[in-house]
Amino acid sequence: MSAAAGAQPVAHVSAWSPLRHPVFRAIWIAAVASNIGTLMHGVGAAWLMTSLDASPLAVSLVQAAANAPLFILALPAGALADVVDRRRLLIATEIWMVAAAAGLGLATLAGVIGPWGLLAFTFALAVGAALNAPAWQAVMPELVPPSEVPEALALGGAGFNVARAVGPTLGGLVVATWGSAPTFFLNSISFLGVIVVLHRWRRTPEPELLPAERFVGALRAGVRYARSSPELRAIFVRGTAFTLFASALWALLPVVVHQELRRGPDAYGVLLGALGLGAVLGAAALPRLRRRLGWDTVVSMASVVFALAMLALATVSRFPLLCVALLLGGAAWLGGLTTLNAAIQLSVASWVRARALSVYLLFFFGSLSLGSVLWGWLGGRLGVPAALVLAAAGMITGLFMARRFRIPSGVVADLSPSLHWPAPAVAFEPESQGGPVLVTVEYRIDPARAAEFAAAMQEVRRIRRRDGGMRWNLYADTADPGRYVESYLSESWVDHLRQHERVTAADQAIEERARAFHIGPTPPVVSHLIQEGRLD
């Protein structure tokens, strides 16, 4: 695949290169420690529910409660992360999670926790994680060079899975020895290290020449960007197909250990540890696999391997073989998700990165939540092994259905601001919130090349709508076959000025291809018309 204009191949760097950067390294270490606490907490919560209500649906609801806020709050959290200081938002959410985990520990220690109380505290903890997630992922490209973003994300996933290799095993031992309450307290303490590192990080904010976006407007802009980006749509479809069916393993694994294998929390922790260890081992091979096979093939392979791991969980009763199967499943989980995540990071501009990630998280955690309830319900109706077999079959089927949605691979678009749009000509200074604003661009085209011009303008349409334009149209003059007028609306004057800041070097190359069709003696004429009044 050839690199598009305004794009460069991803540099071949080591899987461990991001750790050379001190701030990334400190945040990565603190995150690993925090994730160990979180995963110990997860074992304690899942096993506590098996003692309160051991039905497959009740146990799967713990997974659903942990993921539902990440679905419900994904879009608001992404808009918030692009509007406010991300560092301060991260610190605030970490403090919230300290309180939620400690509250669950106190309630459990006091013996007043029940199934619904456990779900409520799990939901509250997940609210903090939901508000944290887009900001956390969006700051990663601020810590490493663009060429190392895929490796930084893979290391983030590997760090989580280092924790998964250690945390569940420790959690299982703690639960088996002292019960679930200590895991909740340890989780609460584990957030403190992240808070300290974030407090010491002196983040350099990006310069803002215009007033900060309003929250609702930022929310609309993020959704509009995602809808107008073919690359993001492909990633969302593939991610949903992967996650909806993969959720069966995470939701039903505690039930398999408790009911099918007749083992305790220590065995559950070991199997989770196998998933984590597999992900750690997979992280080292992932950059080479992506270079040799392409990112789309890596996601497809991950789907097949994870489906096989679910089949093994449904049919294999020998514990060592299950550990091997889940080891491979962990590598597939990391490979699929970090490749999708990296593709998003490299496909969007910095001004909308958290919002684009939040839309992805909306699909991701929506699929996890829906899948957890679905597979828990089917496990109760058909049996857990049958539900896992159906999930594996669905994962393979979903892979074939999504084949036309290709993951962008090996190319980093130049998303730096081009600032090539001249300042609008004005005879008076419009109010910043005045509008809407109608922008028109008049072209002179050779009528014999009208079809080519219209095709080239479809890419321009995508840019306009992605960066904030509404109701884009291209008009041909019936009285003058060579005259074409492009038009689109911006919500307000300040929103249009933001479009001037958002146009990238990659966009400039697309615009230049379209403007090459213009044959007039002067450049295309651009006009800005602002609405003066509203009709009743």
Side-chain angles (χ1 to χ4, degrees):
M1 170 177 158
S2 61
Q8 301 174 350
V10 177
H12 294 180
V13 297
S14 163
W16 315 109
S17 296
L19 292 175
R20 295 177 302 181
H21 306 284
V23 177
F24 177 86
R25 185 169 62 247
I27 287 180
W28 186 84
I29 292 170
V32 170
S34 178
N35 286 328
I36 290 174
T38 298
L39 290 160
M40 293 177 68
H41 179 117
V43 173
W47 208 257
L48 179 59
M49 183 59 86
T50 64
S51 65
L52 299 171
D53 185 342
S55 68
L57 180 58
V59 175
S60 67
L61 283 176
V62 176
Q63 184 78 15
N67 293 320
L70 290 142
F71 168 70
I72 297 168
L73 298 175
L75 290 178
L80 194 63
D82 278 331
V83 171
V84 305
D85 183 275
R86 290 170 184 165
R87 171 180 161 274
R88 294 182 180 180
L89 177 61
L90 289 170
I91 292 173
T93 55
E94 294 287 332
I95 292 172
W96 170 272
M97 290 187 284
V98 168
L104 178 56
L106 290 171
T108 305
L109 197 62
V112 297
I113 200 71
W116 290 109
L118 174 58
L119 292 175
F121 273 108
T122 300
F123 188 90
L125 185 64
V127 166
L131 295 174
N132 178 287
W136 185 267
Q137 296 193 46
V139 299
M140 289 299 110
E142 298 182 34
L143 308 178
V144 298
S147 63
E148 296 182 12
V149 167
E151 283 64 42
L153 294 171
L155 276 173
F160 179 79
N161 287 287
V162 166
R164 193 184 291 284
V166 176
T169 304
L170 291 177
L173 293 173
V174 170
V175 172
T177 307
W178 295 292
S180 294
T183 65
F184 306 146
F185 288 120
L186 289 170
N187 185 34
S188 180
I189 295 169
S190 72
F191 293 119
L192 298 178
V194 178
I195 294 172
V196 170
V197 172
L198 289 172
H199 179 73
R200 296 180 62 185
W201 174 34
R202 293 295 174 258
R203 177 176 180 255
T204 303
E206 296 182 1
E208 293 285 348
L209 301 179
L210 297 173
E213 289 183 85
R214 295 181 177 181
F215 177 76
V216 174
L219 198 62
R220 286 198 300 266
V223 173
R224 188 184 298 120
Y225 190 103
R227 289 178 58 188
S228 302
S229 172
E231 297 86 359
L232 291 186
R233 288 201 301 272
I235 295 167
F236 298 156
V237 171
R238 295 295 293 277
T240 300
F242 183 86
T243 310
L244 179 64
F245 298 104
S247 63
L249 186 147
W250 302 105
L252 297 176
L253 183 59
V255 186
V256 171
V257 175
H258 187 261
Q259 296 184 1
E260 304 295 327
L261 300 180
R262 305 291 181 184
R263 287 176 175 259
D266 51 342
Y268 175 54
V270 168
L271 290 178
L272 285 176
L275 283 162
L277 181 59
V280 173
L281 296 176
L286 194 53
R288 182 178 299 177
L289 284 175
R290 283 199 289 241
R291 287 197 300 269
R292 289 188 175 181
L293 304 177
W295 292 22
D296 190 82
T297 301
V298 168
V299 174
S300 300
M301 287 177 55
S303 299
V304 173
V305 173
F306 202 87
L308 293 175
M310 288 194 290
L311 285 175
L313 189 63
T315 58
V316 174
S317 58
R318 295 183 62 185
F319 194 77
L321 291 180
L322 273 182
C323 289
V324 173
L326 294 189
L327 194 77
L328 296 173
W333 177 260
L334 177 90
L337 294 188
T338 59
T339 299
L340 291 166
N341 193 306
I344 292 176
Q345 299 270 19
L346 297 175
S347 299
V348 299
S350 61
W351 67 268
V352 75
R353 184 177 295 122
R355 280 168 279 185
L357 287 165
S358 73
V359 177
Y360 172 68
L361 293 175
L362 177 71
F363 283 92
F364 177 78
F365 287 105
S367 301
L368 273 182
S369 300
L370 176 63
S372 296
V373 175
L374 172 65
W375 303 117
W377 179 78
L378 286 175
R381 289 296 188 100
L382 305 177
V384 171
L388 287 166
V389 170
L390 284 175
M395 198 166 200
I396 299 298
T397 303
L399 177 62
F400 283 104
M401 289 173 62
R403 286 180 66 185
R404 70 187 185 94
F405 296 95
R406 309 291 294 181
I407 304 299
S409 116
V411 171
V412 178
D414 185 355
L415 300 177
S416 59
S418 62
L419 302 177
H420 69 282
W421 285 12
V426 295
F428 63 93
E429 189 62 34
E431 294 183 10
S432 64
Q433 296 302 324
V437 177
L438 174 64
V439 183
T440 64
V441 186
E442 185 174 335
Y443 303 88
R444 176 63 57 179
I445 304 299
D446 179 357
R449 304 190 68 190
E452 297 175 69
F453 172 67
M457 288 299 289
Q458 290 306 306
E459 280 296 292
V460 175
R461 170 186 178 273
R462 180 177 64 83
I463 293 170
R464 305 283 197 251
R465 292 185 61 84
R466 186 198 63 197
D467 289 349
M470 305 179 297
R471 300 181 187 176
W472 184 95
N473 288 286
L474 182 65
Y475 297 95
D477 190 336
T478 58
D480 184 352
R483 180 172 178 260
Y484 283 79
V485 177
E486 173 197 5
S487 74
Y488 61 92
L489 288 174
S490 295
E491 287 190 39
S492 67
W493 183 249
V494 73
D495 282 324
H496 178 65
L497 294 181
R498 288 194 181 99
Q499 286 184 276
H500 282 248
E501 291 187 345
R502 291 170 178 174
V503 180
T504 67
D507 298 336
Q508 184 178 10
I510 293 172
E511 288 185 357
E512 288 174 352
R513 284 199 296 270
R515 290 203 174 195
F517 289 92
H518 178 70
I519 58 174
T522 60
V525 177
V526 181
S527 300
H528 300 81
L529 296 90
I530 189 165
Q531 181 171 289
E532 278 293 315
R534 297 184 181 275
L535 297 176
D536 293 332

